[in-house]
Amino acid sequence: MEFTKTPGWLDWYTGPSKPRFQLPAGAVDAHCHVFGPGDKFPYAPERKYTPCDASKEQLFALRDHLGFDKNVIVQATCHGSDNRALVDALKASNGKAKGVATVNRNVTDAELQEMHAAGVRGTRFNFVKRLADFTPREVLLEIANRIAPLGWHVVIYFEAVDLPELYDFFTALPTTVVVDHMGRPDVSKPVTGPEFGLFLKMMREHSNIWSKVSCPERLSVSGPKALNGEQHAYQDVVPFAKHLVETFPDRVLWGTDWPHPNLKDHMPDDGLLVDYIPQIAPTAELQRKLLVDNPTRLYWS
Ligand SMILES: O=C(O)/C=C(\C=C(/O)C(=O)O)C(=O)O
């Protein structure tokens, strides 16, 4: 079956630079994807976008180029609850990849066991309206209760404006909960403002809730260049990510988000994204927790 990319789709950055920042041994890219190939793993009919193909081989080559040891591959909405491409990549990784799947209420226990055996360790609930249709909370809670005995966690992706309405649901989940991309804060507002304050309250009062401090390229208003034109990428996101890393050092994760779905105005060099890490994790200890200890404990223990 032929698939045509969403008009204006930006492919990932070809020829990423070699990072200047030396990743610590055992570092994990804890948020990335595989897409298709569509002729082998068709994209979901209910998808909101059609991506470029992005293979496990290309992901693993990027892992090695950047200096990561492992990947956590996250099911993207373009594949819906068809996790075959994800499972195929996990099985090909020689134990160097774990996964976060998307399942619906009809998933069988045998299917869950098969995914667990392949390396899946979580399921993802997507509340970003441009990506996924509404699923009743009771259905999601039913799924969370079914995956909890497997030791899986729940990954949540939402817009910051929706947190007030979702707060009680998130804090009632029976598993570890991992928030994608800091809950997409509005970085034009202060870190100390009420909006991000609600997110910090959730993390402070619920020690089962973690956050990825990834995707400055999605959140930044200042963009890849600072106003003076110097290459200070995404400076307006640094205070948010750095605050989370320093406040909750044992509950943060980082990922490239390769191949960067749905970016509209630019495509980051993944090598420069890695070089961004020391700005948000300024000590070797914080870098080791963020990149090695935390993802290893959550996915490989
Ligand atoms: O890949 C990301 O983390 C971000 C996006 C896409 C998805 O998460 C997805 O399709 O599942 C996005 O913001 O468009």
Side-chain angles (χ1 to χ4, degrees), residues 31 33 49 75-78 124 126 130-131 157 181 184 218 257 261-262:
H31 188 96
H33 309 282
Y49 65 87
Q75 180 80 346
T77 54
C78 53
R124 193 177 193 219
N126 202 315
R130 62 178 165 82
L131 292 173
Y157 190 33
H181 320 325
R184 293 184 63 98
R218 293 187 181 284
D257 193 30
N262 300 310

Side-chain angles (χ1 to χ4, degrees), residues 279-293:
Q279 292 187 67
I280 65 171
T283 68
E285 182 186 15
L286 289 173
Q287 291 159 10
R288 194 197 68 249
K289 285 175 178 276
L290 174 67
L291 296 163
V292 184
D293 299 352

Side-chain angles (χ1 to χ4, degrees), residues 250-286:
D250 299 312
R251 291 191 271 144
V252 286
L253 301 168
W254 190 89
T256 58
D257 193 30
W258 185 90
H260 307 282
N262 300 310
L263 289 184
K264 303 291 185 223
D265 57 4
H266 77 291
M267 180 53 66
D269 171 343
D270 294 279
L272 294 182
L273 285 181
V274 172
D275 283 337
Y276 182 83
I277 293 170
Q279 292 187 67
I280 65 171
T283 68
E285 182 186 15
L286 289 173

